[in-house]
Amino acid sequence: MTYREALRLALAEELEHDPRVFLMGEEVGQFEGAYKVSAGLMDRFGADRVRDTPISEEGFVGAGVGAAMLGERPVVEIMTLNFLLVAMDQVINHAAKIGAMFGGMVRCPMVIRTPNGAGAQLTAQHSQSFDQWFASTPGLKVVAPANPRDAKGLLKAAIRDEDPVLVIENLPIYKEKGEVPLDPDFTTPIGLADVPRKGSDLTLISHSFATKRCLDVAEDLAESHGLDIEVVDLRSLRPLDVETVAASVSKTSRAVCVEEGWPTYGVTAEIAARIGKACFDDLDAPVERVGMAEVPMPYAKNLETAALPGADRIAEAVLETLEGSR
Amino acid sequence: MTVHASPAEIETDQLLGMLERMYLIRRFETEAERQYKQAKIGGYCHLSSGQEATCVGTMDAMTDDDLLVTGYRSHGFALARHVPATEVMAELFGRVDGCARGRGGSMHLLDPDLGYYGGWGIVGGQLPVATGLALALVRQERPAAVLCELGDGAVNMGAWHESLNLASLWDLPIVYLVVNNIYGMGTSVERASAEPELFRRAHAHRMVGERIDGDDIEEVHAATSELLQTARDRHRPAVLEALTYRYRGHSVADAGLSYRDRDEIKEHQERDPIKRVRSVLSERGVEDEQLDAADERAQEQVAEAVEFADASPEPPLDQLAYGMYAKGSDKQFARMRPGSPFGERELVFDAGLGD
């Protein structure tokens, strides 16, 4: 099953499971989803529960907030994370703060799901990874599945969660295939990282599409250099599973963190700081970070490729870290 | 301006009760300003003296099942909706017995049990939220409507247009109450809005827009009742623009005299909404003593509120993160909290996540 199909299955199961759940967003209904995640769902569940919206992100994200406050379970689709920026006020100032600001008397159990990801020459305003903006906000939870299994499991966990959860999907892996449990009660726990590849020489830490890259690099370096690299997939950016990261780095003594966002103040900055504290005595080399070049994404294919943390750059960082070991 | 042919006359007893709440708001706001100057109240403190007829007239047009959402100038609406003055004052004092447990302050009052889903501090930010509450009412087939208050300054936000569009497109039971007190902070409606007759904006969204005298409590009550009824019965949204005036500055920190003069304020005070209700009641034969007694009871309530707020403890420090996440979420955060081997000292997450 593809990543896209896994998301669709999660939505269908939750729409079936709980009458309070409804999906809304641009083109989710008649058009069957801009990226076809919701294909067939309006036919099956009706236009009330799979609700098309105008191009009006602030309006319908806020409507999701209000509906959630009355106990509905809205799943709001944003066509791409880039458009979530125009609804930032509703996410940061409203959804995230309701619980604390109102003394715990009102909750906001909503899901915002949105694809993200670069590599299709979509240029500066459509290829942005702002995961860290949201993940640094108390009151929100942020998850970013890297494979079909977790796409289903994390989306279902998000819908069943009592708090606002941002589910960051990924465009380039919508068509990736993988094993997906068909059990309708299968969920992936929020706040737990995964270790999809065990190893002893170095830990690669990443999330979403970058995890796939890291797994490929680990395989390549095993073949070409005989290296045994462990890969940690964060899965949740908030809550963050620092324990799994620290346990891995304590074992391997070396870490390279990878993200598709700008690294300054980014996810890798956070992870590197956590490793610095938790694994200070275990480290044999400085923690290295690989992120997107700190430029607005260019259009030209060669420039775009150069800006992204591709396999070459990750492999280079791994080898340099190993060389620099004490 | 739409003139309501026959404003439903409010029964004398009810009107007396309304007068008492108008006094309560007036006395409460005067006291709030005094307490602010004594540093018992911090942050921003937006007072609504002069706007009492709009507050009380609209709130009495709502049923118990209707829902209220407001912006940040909310004391008057909260008191008119019967949120206890003690809890409102305690909230302004930042105390644990406040209606938001001391976490919201002046701009974030609420009382979900009374259908009051919050004062919100971002201009226009509450509009999409209120629209979503109306959507939930429809989905839950509840025979109720949302009254969403905003100031005249909010109608130039994108959120206003987006909310009206959704509400009309989706047939949602919501009335957007524009409290037009002429100034968005210090900028007058004429200087801020290309169409200063704000109710006309509704027409672009094919919904009813009406302008009323917000200082005439009977007119406020009649127009709000009618529009809320239409919202409940036919799921049609509306815009109600209430023309009123605030006597004090934008907030307690603003003297309110750099963009208007004392004559202008005096002119409005001559048409004071409380005086107007008093004269209606006098004409109906209510004695002055009875009217004064309403004021006295209001003053007693305010004194009691201050005493209550003063006696209420500060929120406990070990519950700094209280309410931020729902119960059960602490398990998800177990791997990053202080006390776990890798927690950071800055992450205050020790206790009291929620009920």
Side-chain angles (χ1 to χ4, degrees), chain B residues 261-274:
Chain B
D261 56 30
R262 290 184 195 282
D263 287 346
E264 182 184 308
I265 300 169
K266 214 174 142 194
E267 188 188 315
H268 283 277
Q269 282 173 334
E270 278 160 17
R271 289 179 274 135
D272 184 80
I274 294 181

Side-chain angles (χ1 to χ4, degrees), chain A residues 203-220:
Chain A
T203 304
L204 273 171
I205 303 144
S206 61
H207 69 281
S208 194
F209 182 63
T211 296
K212 179 177 146 58
R213 278 269 151 77
C214 288
L215 286 167
D216 292 345
V217 167
E219 283 304 314
D220 288 351

Side-chain angles (χ1 to χ4, degrees), chain A residues 110-149:
Chain A
M110 77 184 291
V111 172
I112 300 172
R113 36 167 295 266
T114 182
N116 191 19
Q121 287 186 277
L122 296 173
T123 195
Q125 293 183 337
H126 287 77
S127 306
Q128 312 181 82
S129 187
F130 293 139
D131 312 356
Q132 81 279 14
W133 290 6
F134 300 96
S136 74
T137 304
L140 284 182
K141 294 172 185 170
V142 180
V143 299
N147 56 59
R149 178 187 171 89

